[in-house]
Amino acid sequence: MAETLYLDQNAWVSLARGAWDKASYPKDHKRLVKVVEALQQNRFVVPLSFANIYETSKINDPARRANMARTQVTISQGQVFRGRRRILGETLALYLADKFSIVHAPPEEHWFLSDLWFEALADYSPETFGFSLSDAALDHMHSYPARVLFDYLTSNDEDVRLEGVRRFSASSADLVMGIEARRAIVASEPLALRKRAYGARLIIDELDFVLATGRSLGLDWNGFTDIGSSLVRSILGDVPILATERELAIRLEDLARPIEENDLRDMSAFTTVLSLADVVIGEKTFVNLARQACLDKAYGTRLLTSIDEL
C-alpha cells in the first residue's frame, strides 16, 4: 500500500528546479527522478497542503509560478490534505465516541485527502462557502483535479491574487503581534507552565467547536463544566492536531528569534499533516522541534529534512 508523503515548500522548490533545468540543477533533478520513480512504483501518494498552494500562488514571476505549479500538480495529481477544521472534527469525534462508548462509524480510508484543491482550507458546502457550485462544475473538478488546480495557480486574476496575498500577510502580521505579546508575558516561566497556559488558551479558542462536536454525538454539553477538567486535559494531549500545535508552539517560542510569517505556515502544515502522513519532509527547524516533542514516535511518522533521505 502506498505511503502518504508530505513535502514542504523547500522540497517542492528543489523538484521544480530539477524539472526546469536538469543541467544547471543536477542534484535537484536527481531528487525529482527519485520521487517520480517512487510514484511509478506506487510507493507514495504526495498530497499538497494549504501552505504549499498558498506559497506557490504568491510567486510573482508567472513563468516560475507555472513551473512550480506544473511540478506540484503532476506529482500530487491535485490531491490535498483537508483543512484543519475537518481533520480536528473527525479525530475529535472519534476520540469522544471511544471515550463514551458511543457507536460512531469510522471514516473511510484516506478520508483526510481530497481532490478539490480548495478543501485544503475547508470542506466545501454552500453554507460554508457562501455560494453554490453546480453539480457539473463539481464533477469536472473531481474528474480533473490536477488541471483545475493548475488553472487556479496560473490563470487567476492578477489583482485578486495580489489582494489575497496582501490580506493573508496582513492577518499573519496581526497574529504574530499577538503571539509576541503573549510570548513576552510567559517568557520567564518554565516549559511545563507555558504548556499548560498554551493548552488553556487553545481549548478556550476551540471550546464552542468541542461542545458542538460532543452534542453531535448525543452528549448533553453546554459549557466547560459539562466536559470536565480531566477530559479537557485528555483532549489536549490525545487529539493529534491540538497536541501537535501545543507541543510545537511552546518550543517555537523558546527559540531566540522573532516569530515570522513563514513559521505560521509551517505550523499550519505540521499540525495538519504530521499525525496523518507516513513521511514528512520539512524544514530543519520544525523537524527538530517535532523530534524534541517526540511527535514522530507518538504518531509513527518518519521526519526527514531532505528528499535525499528517502
Side-chain angles (χ1 to χ4, degrees), residues 231-277:
L231 181 56
V232 165
R233 288 193 297 272
S234 297
I235 289 171
L236 285 167
D238 296 338
V239 176
I241 277 188
L242 303 180
T244 300
E245 179 176 334
R246 182 176 64 170
E247 296 295 341
L248 290 178
I250 60 173
R251 286 168 172 81
L252 177 64
E253 293 173 9
D254 251 357
L255 299 180
R257 64 167 176 79
I259 305 298
E260 302 169 351
E261 180 181 322
N262 192 54
D263 293 325
L264 303 182
R265 293 196 293 273
D266 285 339
M267 175 72 78
S268 168
F270 263 65
T271 55
T272 302
V273 312
L274 197 146
S275 66
L276 301 169

Short mmCIF file of all heavy atoms in Angstrom, two decimals, residues 231-277:
data_model
loop_
_atom_site.label_atom_id
_atom_site.label_comp_id
_atom_site.label_asym_id
_atom_site.label_seq_id
_atom_site.Cartn_x
_atom_site.Cartn_y
_atom_site.Cartn_z
N LEU A 231 -11.20 15.51 31.31
CA LEU A 231 -11.37 15.20 29.90
C LEU A 231 -10.74 16.28 29.03
O LEU A 231 -10.16 15.98 27.97
CB LEU A 231 -12.85 15.05 29.55
CG LEU A 231 -13.16 14.70 28.08
CD1 LEU A 231 -12.43 13.43 27.66
CD2 LEU A 231 -14.67 14.54 27.87
N VAL A 232 -10.82 17.53 29.45
CA VAL A 232 -10.18 18.61 28.69
C VAL A 232 -8.69 18.36 28.57
O VAL A 232 -8.10 18.50 27.49
CB VAL A 232 -10.44 19.98 29.36
CG1 VAL A 232 -9.49 21.05 28.82
CG2 VAL A 232 -11.88 20.41 29.12
N ARG A 233 -8.05 17.98 29.67
CA ARG A 233 -6.62 17.68 29.63
C ARG A 233 -6.33 16.51 28.69
O ARG A 233 -5.33 16.50 27.96
CB ARG A 233 -6.09 17.39 31.04
CG ARG A 233 -6.01 18.62 31.93
CD ARG A 233 -5.20 18.35 33.18
NE ARG A 233 -5.81 17.32 34.02
CZ ARG A 233 -6.70 17.56 34.97
NH1 ARG A 233 -7.11 18.80 35.19
NH2 ARG A 233 -7.19 16.56 35.71
N SER A 234 -7.20 15.52 28.72
CA SER A 234 -7.01 14.37 27.84
C SER A 234 -7.16 14.76 26.38
O SER A 234 -6.39 14.32 25.51
CB SER A 234 -8.02 13.27 28.18
OG SER A 234 -7.82 12.78 29.48
N ILE A 235 -8.14 15.60 26.08
CA ILE A 235 -8.35 16.05 24.70
C ILE A 235 -7.12 16.77 24.19
O ILE A 235 -6.66 16.54 23.07
CB ILE A 235 -9.60 16.96 24.61
CG1 ILE A 235 -10.88 16.13 24.80
CG2 ILE A 235 -9.65 17.71 23.28
CD1 ILE A 235 -12.14 16.97 24.95
N LEU A 236 -6.56 17.65 25.01
CA LEU A 236 -5.38 18.40 24.60
C LEU A 236 -4.17 17.50 24.35
O LEU A 236 -3.34 17.81 23.49
CB LEU A 236 -5.03 19.44 25.68
CG LEU A 236 -5.93 20.68 25.73
CD1 LEU A 236 -5.68 21.46 27.01
CD2 LEU A 236 -5.69 21.57 24.52
N GLY A 237 -4.09 16.41 25.07
CA GLY A 237 -2.93 15.54 24.91
C GLY A 237 -3.12 14.44 23.90
O GLY A 237 -2.13 13.93 23.35
N ASP A 238 -4.39 14.07 23.62
CA ASP A 238 -4.64 12.89 22.80
C ASP A 238 -5.19 13.17 21.41
O ASP A 238 -5.11 12.29 20.54
CB ASP A 238 -5.61 11.95 23.53
CG ASP A 238 -5.05 11.41 24.84
OD1 ASP A 238 -3.81 11.39 24.98
OD2 ASP A 238 -5.84 11.02 25.71
N VAL A 239 -5.79 14.33 21.19
CA VAL A 239 -6.30 14.66 19.85
C VAL A 239 -5.14 15.28 19.07
O VAL A 239 -4.61 16.32 19.45
CB VAL A 239 -7.50 15.62 19.93
CG1 VAL A 239 -7.94 16.04 18.52
CG2 VAL A 239 -8.66 14.95 20.67
N PRO A 240 -4.70 14.64 17.99
CA PRO A 240 -3.41 14.98 17.37
C PRO A 240 -3.21 16.44 16.99
O PRO A 240 -2.14 17.00 17.24
CB PRO A 240 -3.36 14.06 16.14
CG PRO A 240 -4.17 12.88 16.54
CD PRO A 240 -5.29 13.43 17.37
N ILE A 241 -4.19 17.07 16.36
CA ILE A 241 -3.98 18.46 15.93
C ILE A 241 -3.72 19.36 17.12
O ILE A 241 -2.81 20.21 17.09
CB ILE A 241 -5.19 18.97 15.11
CG1 ILE A 241 -5.05 18.51 13.65
CG2 ILE A 241 -5.29 20.49 15.17
CD1 ILE A 241 -6.06 19.09 12.71
N LEU A 242 -4.48 19.19 18.19
CA LEU A 242 -4.30 20.04 19.37
C LEU A 242 -2.99 19.73 20.07
O LEU A 242 -2.25 20.65 20.48
CB LEU A 242 -5.48 19.86 20.32
CG LEU A 242 -6.86 20.14 19.75
CD1 LEU A 242 -7.94 19.92 20.81
CD2 LEU A 242 -6.95 21.56 19.20
N ALA A 243 -2.68 18.44 20.21
CA ALA A 243 -1.43 18.06 20.87
C ALA A 243 -0.22 18.55 20.08
O ALA A 243 0.76 19.07 20.66
CB ALA A 243 -1.37 16.54 21.03
N THR A 244 -0.27 18.41 18.77
CA THR A 244 0.85 18.84 17.93
C THR A 244 1.05 20.34 17.99
O THR A 244 2.18 20.83 18.13
CB THR A 244 0.62 18.40 16.47
OG1 THR A 244 0.50 16.98 16.42
CG2 THR A 244 1.78 18.83 15.58
N GLU A 245 -0.05 21.09 17.91
CA GLU A 245 0.08 22.55 17.97
C GLU A 245 0.67 23.00 19.30
O GLU A 245 1.57 23.84 19.34
CB GLU A 245 -1.27 23.22 17.76
CG GLU A 245 -1.17 24.74 17.85
CD GLU A 245 -2.47 25.46 17.56
OE1 GLU A 245 -3.33 24.91 16.85
OE2 GLU A 245 -2.63 26.60 18.07
N ARG A 246 0.19 22.42 20.39
CA ARG A 246 0.69 22.83 21.70
C ARG A 246 2.18 22.53 21.84
O ARG A 246 2.96 23.38 22.27
CB ARG A 246 -0.10 22.13 22.80
CG ARG A 246 0.34 22.54 24.21
CD ARG A 246 -0.53 21.91 25.28
NE ARG A 246 -0.42 20.44 25.29
CZ ARG A 246 -0.93 19.68 26.26
NH1 ARG A 246 -1.59 20.23 27.27
NH2 ARG A 246 -0.80 18.36 26.22
N GLU A 247 2.59 21.33 21.45
CA GLU A 247 3.99 20.94 21.61
C GLU A 247 4.92 21.77 20.73
O GLU A 247 6.01 22.17 21.16
CB GLU A 247 4.16 19.46 21.30
CG GLU A 247 3.44 18.52 22.24
CD GLU A 247 3.99 18.57 23.66
OE1 GLU A 247 5.13 19.05 23.86
OE2 GLU A 247 3.28 18.15 24.58
N LEU A 248 4.50 22.03 19.50
CA LEU A 248 5.35 22.81 18.59
C LEU A 248 5.37 24.29 18.98
O LEU A 248 6.43 24.94 18.92
CB LEU A 248 4.86 22.67 17.15
CG LEU A 248 5.06 21.29 16.50
CD1 LEU A 248 4.49 21.30 15.08
CD2 LEU A 248 6.52 20.89 16.48
N ALA A 249 4.23 24.82 19.36
CA ALA A 249 4.15 26.26 19.65
C ALA A 249 5.03 26.65 20.83
O ALA A 249 5.77 27.64 20.77
CB ALA A 249 2.70 26.66 19.93
N ILE A 250 4.99 25.88 21.91
CA ILE A 250 5.77 26.27 23.08
C ILE A 250 7.27 26.14 22.81
O ILE A 250 8.08 26.88 23.37
CB ILE A 250 5.36 25.48 24.33
CG1 ILE A 250 5.56 23.97 24.12
CG2 ILE A 250 3.92 25.79 24.71
CD1 ILE A 250 5.32 23.13 25.37
N ARG A 251 7.64 25.21 21.94
CA ARG A 251 9.06 25.05 21.60
C ARG A 251 9.51 26.10 20.58
O ARG A 251 10.64 26.59 20.64
CB ARG A 251 9.32 23.63 21.10
CG ARG A 251 9.28 22.61 22.22
CD ARG A 251 9.25 21.18 21.72
NE ARG A 251 9.40 20.25 22.84
CZ ARG A 251 8.40 19.90 23.64
NH1 ARG A 251 7.18 20.39 23.43
NH2 ARG A 251 8.61 19.07 24.66
N LEU A 252 8.63 26.45 19.67
CA LEU A 252 8.95 27.51 18.72
C LEU A 252 9.18 28.83 19.46
O LEU A 252 10.12 29.58 19.15
CB LEU A 252 7.81 27.68 17.71
CG LEU A 252 7.95 28.80 16.69
CD1 LEU A 252 9.14 28.55 15.77
CD2 LEU A 252 6.66 28.94 15.87
N GLU A 253 8.37 29.09 20.46
CA GLU A 253 8.50 30.34 21.21
C GLU A 253 9.74 30.33 22.11
O GLU A 253 10.13 31.38 22.62
CB GLU A 253 7.23 30.57 22.03
CG GLU A 253 6.02 30.85 21.15
CD GLU A 253 4.72 30.94 21.92
OE1 GLU A 253 4.77 30.95 23.17
OE2 GLU A 253 3.65 31.00 21.28
N ASP A 254 10.36 29.19 22.29
CA ASP A 254 11.61 29.10 23.04
C ASP A 254 12.82 29.54 22.22
O ASP A 254 13.89 29.80 22.78
CB ASP A 254 11.84 27.65 23.51
CG ASP A 254 11.65 27.50 25.01
OD1 ASP A 254 11.41 28.52 25.68
OD2 ASP A 254 11.76 26.36 25.51
N LEU A 255 12.66 29.58 20.90
CA LEU A 255 13.79 29.94 20.04
C LEU A 255 14.17 31.40 20.24
O LEU A 255 13.31 32.26 20.45
CB LEU A 255 13.43 29.69 18.57
CG LEU A 255 13.08 28.25 18.18
CD1 LEU A 255 12.76 28.17 16.70
CD2 LEU A 255 14.22 27.30 18.54
N ALA A 256 15.46 31.67 20.15
CA ALA A 256 15.96 33.03 20.41
C ALA A 256 15.89 33.88 19.13
O ALA A 256 16.90 34.38 18.63
CB ALA A 256 17.39 32.97 20.93
N ARG A 257 14.69 34.01 18.62
CA ARG A 257 14.48 34.85 17.44
C ARG A 257 13.00 35.21 17.36
O ARG A 257 12.15 34.52 17.95
CB ARG A 257 14.90 34.13 16.15
CG ARG A 257 14.10 32.88 15.82
CD ARG A 257 14.37 32.44 14.40
NE ARG A 257 13.73 31.21 14.00
CZ ARG A 257 12.45 31.09 13.64
NH1 ARG A 257 11.64 32.14 13.70
NH2 ARG A 257 11.97 29.92 13.25
N PRO A 258 12.66 36.26 16.64
CA PRO A 258 11.25 36.62 16.49
C PRO A 258 10.49 35.57 15.68
O PRO A 258 11.06 34.88 14.85
CB PRO A 258 11.29 37.97 15.75
CG PRO A 258 12.69 38.46 15.89
CD PRO A 258 13.56 37.26 16.01
N ILE A 259 9.19 35.47 15.93
CA ILE A 259 8.32 34.62 15.12
C ILE A 259 8.11 35.31 13.77
O ILE A 259 7.96 36.52 13.69
CB ILE A 259 6.96 34.41 15.81
CG1 ILE A 259 7.16 33.83 17.22
CG2 ILE A 259 6.06 33.51 14.97
CD1 ILE A 259 7.81 32.49 17.26
N GLU A 260 8.13 34.52 12.69
CA GLU A 260 7.98 35.06 11.34
C GLU A 260 6.72 34.50 10.69
O GLU A 260 6.19 33.47 11.11
CB GLU A 260 9.20 34.69 10.50
CG GLU A 260 10.52 35.20 11.08
CD GLU A 260 11.74 34.61 10.37
OE1 GLU A 260 11.53 33.68 9.55
OE2 GLU A 260 12.85 35.07 10.64
N GLU A 261 6.28 35.18 9.64
CA GLU A 261 5.09 34.72 8.92
C GLU A 261 5.26 33.29 8.42
O GLU A 261 4.34 32.47 8.47
CB GLU A 261 4.78 35.64 7.74
CG GLU A 261 3.54 35.21 6.94
CD GLU A 261 3.26 36.12 5.76
OE1 GLU A 261 3.45 37.34 5.88
OE2 GLU A 261 2.84 35.58 4.71
N ASN A 262 6.45 32.96 7.95
CA ASN A 262 6.70 31.62 7.44
C ASN A 262 6.52 30.55 8.52
O ASN A 262 6.13 29.42 8.23
CB ASN A 262 8.11 31.54 6.85
CG ASN A 262 8.33 30.27 6.06
OD1 ASN A 262 7.58 29.95 5.16
ND2 ASN A 262 9.37 29.51 6.43
N ASP A 263 6.80 30.93 9.78
CA ASP A 263 6.59 29.99 10.89
C ASP A 263 5.11 29.59 11.00
O ASP A 263 4.80 28.45 11.33
CB ASP A 263 7.03 30.61 12.22
CG ASP A 263 8.53 30.82 12.29
OD1 ASP A 263 9.28 29.99 11.75
OD2 ASP A 263 8.96 31.83 12.90
N LEU A 264 4.23 30.55 10.74
CA LEU A 264 2.80 30.28 10.84
C LEU A 264 2.37 29.25 9.80
O LEU A 264 1.57 28.36 10.08
CB LEU A 264 2.00 31.57 10.66
CG LEU A 264 2.31 32.71 11.62
CD1 LEU A 264 1.39 33.90 11.34
CD2 LEU A 264 2.20 32.28 13.07
N ARG A 265 2.93 29.37 8.59
CA ARG A 265 2.58 28.41 7.54
C ARG A 265 3.16 27.03 7.85
O ARG A 265 2.50 26.01 7.63
CB ARG A 265 3.06 28.92 6.18
CG ARG A 265 2.31 30.17 5.71
CD ARG A 265 2.51 30.42 4.23
NE ARG A 265 3.88 30.77 3.90
CZ ARG A 265 4.36 32.01 3.94
NH1 ARG A 265 3.57 33.01 4.32
NH2 ARG A 265 5.61 32.27 3.60
N ASP A 266 4.39 26.99 8.35
CA ASP A 266 4.97 25.71 8.74
C ASP A 266 4.17 25.07 9.88
O ASP A 266 3.94 23.86 9.88
CB ASP A 266 6.42 25.90 9.18
CG ASP A 266 7.37 26.13 8.01
OD1 ASP A 266 7.01 25.77 6.88
OD2 ASP A 266 8.46 26.69 8.22
N MET A 267 3.76 25.89 10.84
CA MET A 267 2.95 25.39 11.95
C MET A 267 1.63 24.84 11.44
O MET A 267 1.18 23.74 11.83
CB MET A 267 2.69 26.51 12.96
CG MET A 267 1.76 26.12 14.08
SD MET A 267 2.51 24.98 15.25
CE MET A 267 3.52 26.12 16.18
N SER A 268 0.99 25.58 10.54
CA SER A 268 -0.27 25.13 9.96
C SER A 268 -0.11 23.78 9.28
O SER A 268 -0.92 22.86 9.47
CB SER A 268 -0.77 26.17 8.95
OG SER A 268 -1.83 25.67 8.18
N ALA A 269 0.95 23.64 8.48
CA ALA A 269 1.16 22.39 7.75
C ALA A 269 1.47 21.24 8.70
O ALA A 269 0.88 20.15 8.59
CB ALA A 269 2.30 22.57 6.74
N PHE A 270 2.38 21.46 9.65
CA PHE A 270 2.78 20.38 10.55
C PHE A 270 1.62 19.91 11.42
O PHE A 270 1.45 18.70 11.62
CB PHE A 270 3.96 20.82 11.41
CG PHE A 270 5.30 20.38 10.88
CD1 PHE A 270 5.77 20.88 9.67
CD2 PHE A 270 6.09 19.49 11.57
CE1 PHE A 270 7.00 20.48 9.17
CE2 PHE A 270 7.32 19.07 11.08
CZ PHE A 270 7.78 19.57 9.87
N THR A 271 0.85 20.83 11.96
CA THR A 271 -0.26 20.41 12.82
C THR A 271 -1.30 19.63 12.03
O THR A 271 -1.95 18.74 12.57
CB THR A 271 -0.92 21.62 13.50
OG1 THR A 271 -1.34 22.58 12.52
CG2 THR A 271 0.02 22.29 14.48
N THR A 272 -1.45 19.95 10.75
CA THR A 272 -2.44 19.28 9.93
C THR A 272 -1.97 17.90 9.49
O THR A 272 -2.72 16.92 9.56
CB THR A 272 -2.78 20.12 8.68
OG1 THR A 272 -3.27 21.40 9.09
CG2 THR A 272 -3.83 19.44 7.82
N VAL A 273 -0.72 17.78 9.04
CA VAL A 273 -0.30 16.57 8.35
C VAL A 273 0.51 15.60 9.21
O VAL A 273 0.60 14.41 8.87
CB VAL A 273 0.52 16.91 7.08
CG1 VAL A 273 -0.18 17.96 6.25
CG2 VAL A 273 1.94 17.35 7.41
N LEU A 274 1.13 16.06 10.30
CA LEU A 274 2.13 15.24 10.98
C LEU A 274 1.59 13.89 11.45
O LEU A 274 2.26 12.87 11.32
CB LEU A 274 2.75 16.01 12.14
CG LEU A 274 4.07 15.43 12.66
CD1 LEU A 274 5.00 16.53 13.13
CD2 LEU A 274 3.85 14.45 13.80
N SER A 275 0.38 13.88 11.98
CA SER A 275 -0.17 12.64 12.51
C SER A 275 -0.79 11.76 11.43
O SER A 275 -1.12 10.60 11.69
CB SER A 275 -1.22 12.94 13.58
OG SER A 275 -2.34 13.58 13.00
N LEU A 276 -0.93 12.29 10.21
CA LEU A 276 -1.62 11.57 9.14
C LEU A 276 -0.68 11.04 8.07
O LEU A 276 -0.96 10.03 7.42
CB LEU A 276 -2.66 12.49 8.48
CG LEU A 276 -3.74 13.03 9.42
CD1 LEU A 276 -4.55 14.12 8.73
CD2 LEU A 276 -4.66 11.90 9.88
N ALA A 277 0.45 11.72 7.86
CA ALA A 277 1.40 11.31 6.85
C ALA A 277 2.33 10.22 7.39
O ALA A 277 2.64 10.20 8.58
CB ALA A 277 2.22 12.51 6.37
#
